[in-house]
Amino acid sequence: VQLQASGGGLVQPGESVRLSCTFTRNYYAIAWYRQAPGKEREWVSCRTTRGGREHYANAVKGRFAISGDNTENTVYLQMNNLYAEDTAVYYCAGAREGWGLCGAYIGDYDDWGRGTQVTVSS
């Protein structure tokens, strides 16, 4: 397993949770996707591992923040002010090669970790 996501759980609306994605090889970029029941997998955010360039989906912009610790080969997704609609299984994915700003195209990502469940409910 080259990527592993962790940190999910059950939280109430308005609360926060931080997800972690640890990886065991070099990647150009790490992305977070999510998939809610009955819905397609949706891109959330990504970050280049060198340069730390970030990109967010409109649905989470201003509430979520992606960051990284290259010494620990870990990328975080800080999720604040959570809504019920954020409930999903969250996956991290790694792009082995790329250039410029990372993006939402699922085909850019070569390796996927197992998901972690985030449930937002009162």
Side-chain angles (χ1 to χ4, degrees):
V1 176
Q2 301 190 85
L3 300 107
Q4 186 163 354
S6 61
L10 173 64
V11 297
Q12 295 190 352
E15 291 187 341
S16 299
V17 68
R18 189 177 78 162
L19 305 182
S20 300
C21 175
T22 56
F23 45 96
T24 58
R25 58 157 291 154
N26 290 330
Y27 287 106
Y28 160 72
I30 300 292
W32 287 97
Y33 283 77
R34 66 186 181 185
Q35 189 165 20
K39 295 189 176 181
E40 292 187 355
R41 194 165 294 191
E42 174 190 26
W43 174 76
V44 174
S45 181
C46 64
R47 184 180 191 275
T48 57
T49 55
R50 295 185 180 181
R53 301 181 71 180
E54 304 167 3
H55 195 193
Y56 297 93
N58 287 336
V60 305
K61 200 173 292 184
R63 297 189 298 123
F64 291 11
I66 192 169
S67 61
D69 183 341
N70 288 341
T71 62
E72 297 290 333
N73 274 10
T74 303
V75 168
Y76 303 100
L77 185 68
Q78 177 68 41
M79 306 191 296
N80 300 322
N81 190 22
L82 284 161
Y83 306 151
E85 304 90 88
D86 296 314
T87 295
V89 177
Y90 283 73
Y91 299 89
C92 61
R96 297 185 184 185
E97 297 180 355
W99 60 276
L101 186 65
C102 55
Y105 176 53
I106 200 167
D108 286 342
Y109 299 96
D110 305 284
D111 301 315
W112 292 79
R114 288 187 175 182
T116 184
Q117 176 73 46
V118 174
T119 302
V120 185
S121 175
S122 55

